[in-house]
Amino acid sequence: MNLDEFLSAMVLVVVFFLLFFLGKLVNDLLHREYRLTYELVEKDNPALALALCGYYLGLVLGLGGALVGPSLGLIEDIIDLCLYGALCIVLLNLSWFLCDRFILYKFRISDELIRDQNQGTGAVSFGISVASGLIIFGALQGEGGNLWTATAFWAIGQLILITAAVVYTRMIPYDLHAEIEKDNIAAGVSFGGALVAMGIVVGLAAEGDFESWADDVPGFLIIALVGLVLLPVVRFLTDKMLLPTVKLTDEIAHQERPNVGAAYIEAFSYIAAAFVLYWCV
């Protein structure tokens, strides 16, 4: 890397962090039901901290999609980063509201995070933000697309995430919403891991140069369908191979103190399987 390339990279780093700060401000303005400093410092709210870390990580991933790729010149790179970075901020915040309305629809996420400091809800919020960030990353990076194609792939990805949530709630033998509302951290961690896994599958399926809708969408949907099918398969294999002496359901939902460690193992299994699927296809 020569001096000019280094200086150009430093300028893009500065623009990146300015966009990240803008994304933080937008999130703060959209959630005026709480005061961030008061919740994190005075009330030591771990649930909100977990949800915010997911949002910030999703923001980094999404902005990364606008940053990677061949350079077109410093000015052009800055313009693209600002345009697609702004789109990333809008889409990521829309993802949070879609989660509130269609994934954890039996209660309000903000109430659980602020009133109850519910870390299970925080884990799910973390998962949906990271998954959405991965989808935005895949939708933004690559050549041949534009703002509209990126938005379309994000929208398809969100529908797939909502479908994955439905599949997950149907495949587990306990009431997910009831368990999370009871402050069951383990249930939230397991579900959050499944969402991140779907984000990996869908987001990485969307990466690459855009050719045409006819060429790109069928393969995108096929990989997403395989990811949905893998959810119950991976849970079964986790039960039989990684935790063979116990039942996941009993550890997560059918005992007085839910086993968060077992939930971490389940979440890991989904995420690992998502990477394996990506590497194989």
Side-chain angles (χ1 to χ4, degrees), residues 82-152:
C82 289
L83 285 175
Y84 287 99
L87 178 65
C88 163
I89 292 169
V90 171
L91 296 181
L92 188 60
N93 281 281
L94 280 175
S95 298
W96 192 93
F97 285 103
L98 288 174
C99 174
D100 200 14
R101 297 294 184 271
F102 298 106
I103 295 180
L104 292 180
Y105 57 88
K106 292 188 178 181
F107 48 79
R108 291 195 65 218
I109 294 178
S110 293
D111 289 343
E112 294 297 311
L113 293 177
I114 305 305
R115 183 189 62 204
D116 296 341
Q117 296 192 8
N118 186 332
Q119 293 185 64
T121 301
V124 177
S125 182
F126 180 98
I128 196 67
S129 292
V130 173
S132 297
L134 288 162
I135 292 170
I136 295 169
F137 175 88
L140 294 186
Q141 65 90 52
E143 300 181 46
N146 53 41
L147 293 171
W148 301 113
T149 57
T151 302

Side-chain angles (χ1 to χ4, degrees), residues 1-14 71 74:
M1 177 182 289
N2 59 39
L3 181 59
D4 287 342
E5 292 172 337
F6 176 78
L7 292 176
S8 296
M10 291 303 99
V11 171
L12 291 175
V13 168
V14 171
S71 174
L74 181 59

